[in-house]
Amino acid sequence: MPKATGKQLKLFKEEGIYRNYRYSCFVTNLDLSPHMVRTLYRGRADCENRIKEIKEDFGFDSFNMKDFAATEAALNFVVVAYNLMSLFKQAVLRSDQLHQLKTLRYKIFAIGGYITKSGNQNLLNLSLAMKRRKWIEGIWNQSQNFSWPFVPT
């Protein structure tokens, strides 16, 4: 492929249809079948995007402390927060669109509101534009249907 990085080698005598493909290889010391190695490493194909998301949304690249135990605790907190938000996105939002944390913070978490009483019941009054109320109600209803263990659809 013209945009592929690295050294271009001529693998076949007759280029023909083969020049339309990009080839790669895995070098490993694992004692697995080629199919298992491919399956194992294919699952990691999107990990760079997850690392970028953790860095941008959760400050993953700027929490280095002076003490190792403190750095480890901060790392564990970031990973738990990321996993909770990931579960929220999968179980409640169920959207094909990948929302960044700053988008969710603006659309869902940073909504003004106040609590009032009606008889023995506390009511949460949110200040939302009418066009966003249905969407928030849908998220609220979806969160009520959440059960553990969660199996994504």
Side-chain angles (χ1 to χ4, degrees):
M1 298 187 92
K3 294 182 181 177
T5 59
K7 191 174 185 178
Q8 291 187 355
L9 301 172
K10 191 171 183 178
L11 296 176
F12 305 100
K13 284 184 181 180
E14 301 168 8
E15 287 283 318
I17 194 170
Y18 299 112
R19 71 172 172 237
N20 296 329
Y21 295 94
R22 181 176 179 182
Y23 298 91
S24 60
C25 69
F26 295 106
V27 178
T28 182
N29 61 355
L30 296 175
D31 190 22
L32 298 171
S33 69
H35 176 71
M36 289 298 295
V37 169
R38 180 182 175 276
T39 303
L40 176 70
Y41 283 100
R42 185 181 173 100
R44 300 178 182 183
D46 199 35
C47 71
E48 298 297 328
N49 292 331
R50 299 294 74 80
I51 292 169
K52 180 181 173 186
E53 182 181 359
I54 289 174
K55 280 182 176 182
E56 291 178 359
D57 290 349
F58 295 91
F60 186 73
D61 58 346
S62 62
F63 66 83
N64 192 8
M65 314 292 180
K66 291 181 181 178
D67 182 51
F68 177 80
T71 303
E72 183 181 26
L75 170 66
N76 287 331
F77 183 77
V78 167
V79 170
V80 167
Y82 173 79
N83 287 335
L84 285 172
M85 286 309 302
S86 180
L87 183 62
F88 176 77
K89 289 177 189 179
Q90 291 176 33
V92 177
L93 292 183
R94 295 190 180 207
S95 173
D96 294 336
Q97 187 178 6
L98 283 173
H99 293 288
Q100 287 187 313
L101 185 60
K102 61 184 170 185
T103 306
L104 292 177
R105 189 179 305 125
Y106 167 72
K107 286 185 162 184
I108 298 172
F109 303 125
I111 298 173
Y114 56 95
I115 297 175
T116 58
K117 268 196 172 283
S118 176
N120 289 334
Q121 202 172 26
N122 288 328
L123 297 175
L124 175 62
N125 300 287
L126 298 176
S127 62
L128 279 171
M130 290 302 287
K131 61 182 181 181
R132 287 187 55 207
R133 287 185 186 181
K134 286 267 190 218
W135 185 70
I136 291 290
E137 282 179 19
I139 289 173
W140 180 258
N141 292 336
Q142 189 65 35
S143 71
Q144 300 301 307
N145 297 330
F146 177 76
S147 63
W148 190 260
F150 172 68
V151 179
T153 56

